[in-house]
Amino acid sequence: MIGRLARDRSGTSGPSPYPTAAARRWRSLGAILVIVVFLPPLLLLVAGSLRQPGLPPPPGPQLVPEPISTAGYERAVQLGGLVRATFNSLLVAAVAVPVSVVVASLAGFALARLPRRVAGIVIAGSLLALMVPATALLVPKFAVFRVLGLTDTLGALVAPALLGTSPLYPLVYYLAFRALPAELYDACRIEDLSPLRTWWRVALPLVKPVTAAIAALTYVLTWSNFLDPLVYVYDRDLFTLPLALRSLATLDPTNFPIFLAGAVLATAPAIAVFWIAQRRFLHRYEGTRTR
Amino acid sequence: MSGVRVDDVHAAHGVRGIDLSVAQGELLVVLGPSGAGKTTLLRLIAGLAPATRGRVLIAGRDVTRLRPGRRNVSMVFQSYALFPHLTVAQNIDFGLLVRDTSKAAARARTRKAAETVGCDHLLDRRPWQLSGGERQRVALARALVREPDVFLLDEPLSNLDAELRVEMRAELRALHDRIGATMVHVTHDQTEALVLGDRIAVLRDGRVEQVGTPDEIWRTPVTSFVARFVGSPPMNLLPGGLAAELGLPPVEGDRLIGVRPEAVWLGAANGGEAVVTRVDVIGSDAHVYVELGGRSIVARVAADDRPAAGAKVRVAVRPGDVHHFATTGERVAPP
Amino acid sequence: MNERRQLLLMLAPYLIGLTGLVLVPFGVTLLMAFADYDMIRAPRWIGLDNFTALFGDEAFRAALRNSLIFAAVAVPLRLLIALGLALLLHRRAGAVGAARTAAVLPTVVPEIAYGLLWLWLFNPLYGPVNQLLRAGGDNGLTVFGRTPPQWLTDPGDAQAAIIVMSLFTIGEIFVILLATRQALPGEVYELAAIEDATGWDVFRRVTLPLMAPVLGLLLLRDTILSFTVSFVPALVVTDGGPPPYGTTYLSLFVYRNAFEYLRYGYAAAATVVMLVLTVLAVALQWHLIRRYRRQYGLAPG
């Protein structure tokens, strides 16, 4: 909606498809408006976490709390067992993300190289799987994991990596590998490369930006996963960060600096990874167009 | 021993029984319009497309059931298919290293191949830093380095601009003569075929129409299709009834007479009377279209000698330059 | 053929995951909807009893109504906002790069942390949202002399709160639309300029039809996701309330019945209703998309 307004105004400044100085100014103004709307929740998250726990709430909104205190963080780490939970989360991500990316890219490659008829069936199944809401699968998955002895283990949290975390990612890889020129694959066959080596030596290096984006998204999804641990993990020693955070919040729901501090701790790694990867997919068009 | 032999090969995409043999060290050009099955034939030899019937032999070996990598062929693709993420040197030695050649040996052979085609100064560059002609050379070096039994070239010159195409054509021919390799070169460009080939195979609708030296193809096309496909503008095909008007000995009415535009003589003393309908000047040449007895005939003359559109001219043909075809298209002896 | 076998082997892990973790559980859910099952005793087939019970259940009716309202309001709004952002930010200008990052950041925050953040932001007494709304007013009223929204205790306000929360997490849709807009060929805009088309005309006749296929897919996807998106906020921020079922959505209903009340068959039946609704919504949208595409002479389907 914000964009529409700015667009219309820039349209009246001239029919040129290329931005005039005035159009650029309106666009910048719109961009600043976007920042003003989207950034405050996160700033408030940090601000709230830095308040002194136990103080009465301030009468008005405060972007910089007074006094600034890190007591919320100390209490959060002690009360919530966040160290243990962070370790568990890291462990899950360290196994699940690489496995997931490998599974997704292998599957995407195979789909791109197999006859259309075979690939079509698998793609249809993946699209179907995308339509099923996660909550619809909790109960039967719980049954499957119980049979396999995976309930109340971190294995239940790594399991989604087996389907690439989301059926969307093999499909994205499929499209990326399909978009490579067919003659490159022919050249590999002439050089007697097996499909596995073609995947590793030629196809994968050529879709690095896709891998960066998918790895980052997989990481963020795995790191944030709340539903799976909520259902499959009960042992406090196996709690991942999101779960530990929830129990921290239920411990004392009114003492918000403590659970906001926990939220900041859980958010920071996700944002860090996103920050590293974003150049690849948010700003790539400016960088590589000259190629 | 033959370099490549193809026995009655059938395949999807309209290859319907092709027999061909390419001698050791020969450069065979496969020529035909798009959709004739040229590229499919090449892919059949490479093993990239499966044959539904027939056999493919390379260096005397039946390779019909072998996968591409086991046939010891190399291929230059239309788009060159260089690996964008590898340097020129890595592109060239790719085939050696994946076959477990030692690094040192691979490096030496890469340098030699690069020198042979004149791209040894580019070894550290990436494909996207190269011009079209340079990519072409790298693709050739990559094909060369493994010393395969046969080189397959799929319209390798079609992505180059006209000037470069002529230059690379000459270099390709020189390269072939220097290394004496067996080559199968696919193109739809008849000039390229005539200049490059030891022999030319003309394909039409998935079958071989004629195989012969450029000279044979040009002088004695065995069908009217070959006659018209080779030569620009294409050969005039006229009903036999027009023979008298063109100053030729009489021909049976159901025969076709084929006359190349070069052999049409405008301003003959005793030719048939025709009207010039169009004149295209191409530099020093002119293509003059005249209408005679309701038929359009094209003549190629020097631009300086061209008549104006709308002018009346007398048209005749030099008797020695006439081809005769049955209405089915086959060549027949002159009466 | 050897090569084919190797490719199938490469596909195998994903196929195992897909069938084992999605397709088979999905089939099991469909079966369990017709059974009475508590995971202790063997399932007992009871035909359509679960469904008749569902429609007599006030909690379920409330969950159904809430989910439909959420999907009908939040999904179009999310798509519109993301489209607006993509069109605004697809071209370089000052602050555009920062705005792109800002628009995606809330999506990156883990769901639970995001929920806790809004739990605080929406607190009627000391939450920043209401503090802001009260700024300038007296006695805890807004400038206009009205009571600020009771986000967590009034059913309507609570639903609005959950929708507002969902409007900030549009990063994924935004990124896809941004890439789509940037991939549109410049020539069509040059042509539009030559024809002297401006602003709204360009948007309606050029941009919208060209982006329609992607927009359509995103609409379908977001509708499907809307059943999941509302789960964590409802669980963490409003706890399904205000009582009795102010923000109980289908996903929360399923979760509670399965894992708190151990009524798996009943939960599965609710899941099936959810799926049927999804399929209906998808079919309806698909139909509309096809009609729109035909109007612009694009290939159907």
Side-chain angles (χ1 to χ4, degrees):
Chain A
M1 289 176 303
I2 301 155
R4 183 81 50 74
L5 282 175
R7 232 198 117 70
D8 283 354
R9 286 187 193 138
S10 70
T12 56
S13 67
S16 162
Y18 295 106
T20 59
R24 283 179 73 111
R25 266 200 301 281
W26 280 113
R27 205 175 283 278
S28 290
L29 205 66
I32 290 167
L33 201 61
V34 171
I35 297 171
V36 166
V37 171
F38 276 80
L39 215 49
L42 293 191
L43 292 180
L44 285 169
L45 172 62
V46 178
S49 73
L50 288 171
R51 285 182 52 80
Q52 173 94 48
L55 281 189
Q62 271 185 337
L63 207 49
V64 182
E66 217 173 310
I68 292 187
S69 155
T70 53
Y73 287 86
E74 287 155 24
R75 301 264 297 274
V77 171
Q78 284 168 6
L79 288 176
L82 294 193
V83 176
R84 176 85 211 191
T86 306
F87 174 76
N88 288 336
S89 275
L90 283 175
L91 192 65
V92 169
V95 178
V97 174
V99 170
S100 177
V101 170
V102 167
V103 167
S105 64
L106 277 176
F109 182 84
L111 289 177
R113 302 296 300 150
L114 280 167
R116 230 161 251 240
R117 201 166 29 82
V118 183
I121 297 169
V122 180
I123 289 167
S126 305
L127 290 175
L128 178 71
L130 273 177
M131 285 186 50
V132 182
T135 35
L137 301 176
L138 287 179
V139 177
K141 261 165 78 181
F142 182 78
V144 171
F145 286 155
R146 210 168 65 157
V147 170
L148 297 176
L150 285 175
T151 45
D152 215 12
T153 70
L154 293 180
L157 308 184
V158 174
L162 205 56
L163 81 146
T165 301
S166 159
L168 186 66
Y169 300 148
L171 294 182
V172 170
Y173 265 117
Y174 162 72
L175 292 177
F177 288 135
R178 271 267 308 265
L180 296 180
E183 290 192 338
L184 283 183
Y185 294 120
D186 287 342
C188 291
R189 291 181 66 193
I190 297 267
E191 302 299 355
D192 206 19
L193 241 64
S194 64
L196 197 65
R197 291 176 88 194
T198 306
W199 167 76
W200 178 248
R201 297 195 64 139
V202 176
L204 216 47
L206 289 178
V207 298
K208 270 185 196 157
V210 175
T211 302
I214 286 185
L217 288 172
T218 305
Y219 170 78
V220 169
L221 280 185
T222 308
W223 185 260
S224 312
N225 191 354
F226 171 64
L227 203 52
D228 284 335
L230 180 68
V231 174
Y232 307 128
V233 175
Y234 325 102
D235 184 350
R236 288 195 73 92
D237 283 345
L238 292 176
F239 274 16
T240 54
L241 258 182
L243 218 49
L245 204 52
R246 169 150 197 255
S247 58
L248 189 66
T250 43
L251 219 59
D252 186 359
T254 51
N255 212 345
F256 64 89
I258 296 177
F259 66 73
L260 288 182
V264 169
L265 291 177
T267 304
I271 291 203
V273 166
F274 166 76
W275 199 270
I276 296 163
Q278 61 149 355
R279 303 231 140 258
R280 298 274 194 165
F281 53 91
L282 260 194
H283 306 292
R284 80 189 137 155
Y285 285 91
E286 283 91 353
T288 55
R289 209 172 235 178
T290 47
R291 215 201 92 146
Chain B
M1 186 174 72
S2 83
V4 179
R5 215 173 89 214
V6 173
D7 274 348
D8 189 33
V9 160
H10 290 63
H13 306 296
V15 166
R16 298 185 292 195
I18 290 185
D19 288 292
L20 261 183
S21 88
V22 188
Q24 176 94 44
E26 183 184 32
L27 199 172
L28 178 86
V29 175
V30 178
L31 176 69
S34 44
K38 311 181 292 284
T39 296
T40 309
L41 171 63
L42 210 60
R43 295 171 61 84
L44 278 169
I45 298 172
L48 294 171
T52 51
R53 219 172 94 188
R55 294 194 310 158
V56 177
L57 290 90
I58 293 174
R61 224 164 31 120
D62 186 342
V63 297
T64 319
R65 298 274 154 250
L66 290 185
R67 62 173 194 251
R70 295 286 170 84
R71 295 188 178 199
N72 200 20
V73 300
S74 65
M75 190 154 170
V76 176
F77 293 90
Q78 188 170 6
S79 67
Y80 315 136
L82 300 180
F83 299 118
H85 61 299
L86 302 179
T87 63
V88 166
Q90 288 168 330
N91 261 289
I92 298 174
D93 66 20
F94 187 84
L96 296 174
L97 292 184
V98 300
R99 287 182 169 80
D100 301 327
T101 312
S102 79
K103 278 228 164 86
R107 196 174 306 139
R109 283 168 70 177
T110 297
R111 179 149 288 282
K112 193 163 149 257
E115 277 166 9
T116 310
V117 299
C119 68
D120 46 323
H121 58 295
L122 303 171
L123 287 175
D124 295 327
R125 305 257 193 98
R126 305 251 169 197
W128 49 273
Q129 295 170 309
L130 305 180
S131 69
E134 288 168 340
R135 280 179 212 190
Q136 164 78 76
R137 284 172 207 272
V138 176
L140 279 172
R142 183 172 75 181
L144 212 59
V145 75
R146 273 198 292 111
E147 294 164 12
D149 289 329
V150 56
F151 288 83
L152 306 170
L153 301 101
D154 186 10
E155 310 219 14
L157 304 176
S158 62
N159 279 346
L160 303 176
D161 58 45
E163 198 184 340
L164 200 56
R165 188 153 57 217
V166 173
E167 190 188 315
M168 287 306 299
R169 197 165 71 194
E171 280 198 33
L172 199 56
R173 179 71 228 186
L175 177 71
H176 171 259
D177 295 346
R178 204 156 60 237
I179 61 176
T182 311
M183 290 188 177
V184 181
H185 179 118
V186 159
T187 182
H188 62 269
D189 180 341
Q190 43 104 13
T191 320
E192 193 173 306
L194 292 172
V195 173
L196 263 182
D198 289 327
R199 284 190 307 149
I200 298 173
V202 182
L203 252 58
R204 178 194 188 187
D205 291 339
R207 290 200 178 85
V208 176
E209 192 92 347
Q210 182 175 5
V211 188
T213 62
D215 211 45
E216 285 164 359
I217 298 279
W218 181 262
R219 285 184 199 281
T220 53
V222 296
T223 64
S224 58
F225 172 82
V226 175
R228 274 183 70 80
F229 193 75
V230 179
S232 171
M235 179 187 280
N236 296 295
L237 277 185
L238 302 166
L242 279 181
E245 287 203 62
L246 293 169
L248 294 170
V251 175
E252 286 162 52
D254 60 349
R255 293 283 168 84
L256 293 171
I257 45 182
V259 184
R260 293 213 183 270
E262 297 79 358
V264 178
W265 187 13
L266 300 181
N270 54 353
E273 193 158 296
V275 180
V276 177
T277 54
R278 195 175 108 206
V279 180
D280 297 342
V281 180
I282 295 114
S284 59
D285 276 359
H287 299 167
V288 180
Y289 294 83
V290 301
E291 201 169 289
L292 177 76
R295 289 296 178 139
S296 179
I297 302 176
V298 57
R300 187 151 127 192
V301 300
D304 292 341
D305 301 338
R306 70 181 190 271
K312 288 200 162 63
V313 290
R314 288 190 169 275
V315 179
V317 173
R318 297 180 194 87
D321 290 334
V322 175
H323 307 262
H324 295 260
F325 299 100
T327 42
T328 51
E330 286 126 58
R331 183 181 191 86
V332 290
Chain C
M1 216 163 126
N2 201 1
E3 228 168 77
R4 171 86 62 93
R5 199 173 309 140
Q6 201 173 14
L7 285 171
L8 287 173
L9 224 58
M10 292 165 80
L11 190 58
Y14 174 64
L15 277 185
I16 293 170
L18 186 67
T19 44
L21 293 176
V22 180
L23 298 181
V24 168
F26 177 53
V28 171
T29 300
L30 292 183
L31 282 179
M32 277 209 277
F34 302 96
D36 182 21
Y37 185 42
D38 56 7
M39 283 218 119
I40 299 161
R41 281 163 299 178
R44 196 162 52 85
W45 301 111
I46 55 170
L48 292 172
D49 284 5
N50 279 332
F51 293 94
T52 41
L54 271 181
F55 287 98
D57 184 342
E58 197 199 332
F60 176 74
R61 286 207 306 266
L64 191 60
R65 190 179 57 238
N66 291 340
S67 286
L68 290 179
I69 291 173
F70 180 83
V73 178
V75 171
L77 278 181
R78 280 162 59 89
L79 210 57
L80 272 179
I81 293 174
L83 177 63
L85 289 179
L87 294 182
L88 174 69
L89 302 176
H90 79 273
R91 215 177 249 162
R92 255 203 289 194
V96 158
R100 285 183 197 169
T101 308
V104 181
L105 274 184
T107 313
V108 185
V109 178
E111 262 183 310
I112 181 77
Y114 188 73
L116 291 179
L117 165 64
W118 285 92
L119 177 64
W120 169 56
L121 291 180
F122 276 136
N123 188 296
L125 285 178
Y126 54 82
V129 173
N130 275 7
Q131 282 182 343
L132 201 67
L133 291 175
R134 279 197 299 262
D138 297 318
N139 299 330
L141 301 178
T142 62
V143 178
F144 308 107
R146 299 179 51 181
T147 329
Q150 296 305 299
W151 297 111
L152 307 179
T153 48
D154 177 83
D157 290 348
Q159 284 192 17
I162 303 249
I163 289 170
V164 167
M165 280 181 70
S166 76
L167 298 186
F168 284 85
T169 51
I170 51 166
E172 201 186 6
I173 314 174
F174 163 67
V175 169
I176 293 169
L177 287 178
L178 185 71
T180 310
R181 175 59 188 84
Q182 284 176 327
L184 295 188
E187 289 89 353
V188 298
Y189 288 92
E190 289 169 5
L191 189 74
I194 289 168
E195 301 297 340
D196 203 27
T198 48
W200 175 245
D201 269 330
V202 173
F203 172 72
R204 194 168 59 102
R205 295 182 191 282
V206 181
T207 309
L208 202 54
L210 285 176
M211 293 179 76
V214 175
L215 278 171
L217 285 179
L218 288 175
L219 180 67
L220 298 182
R221 179 142 186 274
D222 213 42
T223 307
I224 295 159
L225 279 183
S226 77
F227 289 113
T228 319
V229 164
S230 52
F231 176 71
V232 173
L235 184 73
V236 175
V237 181
T238 57
D239 198 21
Y245 309 112
T247 54
T248 298
Y249 296 95
L250 281 177
S251 48
L252 189 63
F253 179 87
V254 169
Y255 169 77
R256 291 230 153 116
N257 273 287
F259 294 99
E260 287 177 13
Y261 315 146
L262 299 183
R263 297 169 72 186
Y264 294 98
Y266 197 53
T271 304
V272 167
V273 175
M274 188 155 90
L275 284 171
V276 169
L277 284 177
T278 313
V279 169
L280 282 180
V282 164
L284 177 70
Q285 290 170 3
W286 191 250
H287 176 73
L288 292 176
I289 292 167
R290 279 174 66 114
R291 250 181 51 186
Y292 180 82
R293 281 180 162 196
R294 216 170 293 143
Q295 187 189 333
Y296 276 89
L298 300 167

